[in-house]
Amino acid sequence: MSLRVISGSAKGRKLKSVPGDTTRPVMDRVKESLFNILAGDVIDSSWWDLFAGTGAIGIEALSRGAAFVKFTDLNRMPIETIKENLEHCKFSEQAEIKRGDAFTLLSGTADRGIEYIYIAPPQYKQMWQEALKRIDDNLEWLTEDGTVIVQIDPREYAEVELRNLVEGEQRKYGSTLLVFYDRK
């Protein structure tokens, strides 16, 4: 699959893929639909691309005017790929890249409030549910009007009992489901 930035200041730039099959790059139509939903709200926003892989979502956000994106992944190869993709698109100054376990990071002290936290972990392991619960328990990571966006296979979806977040809308695109959660 050829990865590219689909809109904004870096439109058309090709992104490197992570070698091997450890990541699951987002399809252009899902990425385009996500950013059409958010529209102008992306401008000057902050993002956390939690299981970042290639960094495609965060880079798309930067291309469309986001002010800052934090990229995290557990493994070295995705981190190296994200660095190269950010440099290629000239967004390194607006980004923070951190290698680490998502659950440990989410349980730690928030260094800033984030407007959009994007969760697209390895599938069929309920990792998205655990990440969502950690955010629900540590709302300091999310701004007052912040949104958590989960990308999963529709078969993996389940209702999650949350105290501080509420499920908003769902959008299905073939074998991809986007679920939006906001603060109560």
Side-chain angles (χ1 to χ4, degrees):
M1 175 193 293
S2 176
L3 291 172
R4 64 187 175 99
V5 180
I6 56 176
S7 189
S9 63
K11 180 180 180 176
R13 298 249 176 151
K14 291 187 190 280
L15 301 176
K16 288 185 82 169
S17 295
V18 177
D21 60 358
T22 58
T23 62
R24 162 178 62 101
V26 64
M27 295 181 301
D28 279 357
R29 72 175 191 192
V30 174
K31 195 169 24 171
E32 186 170 6
S33 296
L34 168 65
F35 286 98
N36 284 343
I37 291 166
L38 301 176
D41 291 342
V42 174
I43 296 170
D44 294 327
S45 63
S46 58
W47 286 68
W48 186 352
D49 195 345
L50 190 60
F51 297 88
T54 63
I57 290 294
I59 290 170
E60 189 71 35
L62 289 168
S63 183
R64 291 172 183 247
F68 170 82
V69 177
K70 176 188 291 217
F71 296 87
T72 56
D73 204 285
L74 179 60
N75 298 308
R76 183 183 59 79
M77 288 307 296
I79 293 296
E80 294 302 317
T81 301
I82 293 164
K83 286 179 185 174
E84 290 178 36
N85 284 336
L86 284 167
E87 288 171 12
H88 176 65
C89 294
K90 303 189 182 342
F91 292 135
S92 298
E93 296 295 315
Q94 297 164 264
E96 175 187 332
I97 305 168
K98 188 163 189 95
R99 182 177 175 192
D101 177 72
F103 308 118
T104 302
L105 295 170
L106 286 170
S107 295
T109 303
D111 58 356
R112 71 186 313 147
I114 303 287
E115 288 162 280
Y116 296 101
I117 300 177
Y118 193 81
I119 302 172
Q123 296 185 127
Y124 314 117
K125 297 179 181 181
Q126 287 74 47
M127 293 172 79
W128 71 273
Q129 293 175 22
E130 182 61 28
L132 192 60
K133 288 176 186 175
R134 300 265 177 131
I135 296 166
D136 189 60
D137 289 340
N138 193 1
L139 280 182
E140 295 167 2
W141 284 113
L142 201 58
T143 61
E144 277 300 314
D145 61 344
T147 300
V148 179
I149 305 161
V150 176
Q151 175 194 324
I152 54 173
D153 184 297
R155 295 172 292 186
E156 191 176 3
Y157 174 79
E159 287 189 22
V160 180
E161 192 171 318
L162 303 167
R163 293 187 325 259
N164 301 302
L165 296 170
V166 61
E167 183 179 322
E169 64 179 300
Q170 292 185 13
R171 300 281 180 105
K172 185 177 176 192
Y173 306 94
S175 63
T176 301
L177 179 66
L178 293 176
V179 187
F180 297 78
Y181 295 86
D182 298 302
R183 290 177 87 147
K184 287 184 180 176

